């Protein structure tokens, strides 16, 4: 369950360290031919998301900061579940660690 945010805009959220703020893609509610899908078929989260913001990176053992591997606007592949949900209005966002992101989707 997502925690309801007390801020008005997601732009107020600035991820720390190696955290990445993403918005998952929503599953289609109907098919291309116009058939509406039941909620049981669309309640699984899609593994794709858009990166909204990233933190500066986390320090390694030597103290040097390793930057995150994605940037705002990138499309990424996520694990099926996980992340820390944040709800702003009707939108739901997630915070993941950079190491939890499976892949960057390049088109």
């Amino acid at each position: 369950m997502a925690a309801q945010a007390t801020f008005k805009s997601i732009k107020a959220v600035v991820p720390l360290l190696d955290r990445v703020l993403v918005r998952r893609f929503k599953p289609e509610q109907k098919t291309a031919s116009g058939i509406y899908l039941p909620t049981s078929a669309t309640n699984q989260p899609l593994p794709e998301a858009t990166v909204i913001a990233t933190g500066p990176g986390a320090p390694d053992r030597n103290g040097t900061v390793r930057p995150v591997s994605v940037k705002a606007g990138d499309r990424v592949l996520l694990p099926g579940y996980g992340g820390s949900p944040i709800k702003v209005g009707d939108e739901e966002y997630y915070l993941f660690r950079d190491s939890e992101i499976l892949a960057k989707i390049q088109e």
Side-chain angles (χ1 to χ4, degrees), residues 33-101:
S33 60
I35 299 172
Y36 284 94
L37 299 171
T39 52
S40 62
T42 60
N43 64 359
Q44 287 285 86
L46 291 177
E48 290 183 45
T50 301
V51 175
I52 304 299
T54 63
D60 61 10
R61 291 184 180 163
N62 300 328
T64 57
V65 176
R66 289 187 48 223
V68 293
S69 56
V70 294
K71 62 183 183 311
D74 284 348
R75 287 181 53 202
V76 293
L77 189 64
L78 300 171
Y81 292 96
S84 300
I86 300 170
K87 190 165 184 163
V88 178
D90 293 338
E91 291 291 326
E92 195 165 28
Y93 300 89
Y94 293 87
L95 275 171
F96 282 90
R97 288 185 180 271
D98 185 42
S99 61
E100 293 174 335
I101 295 175

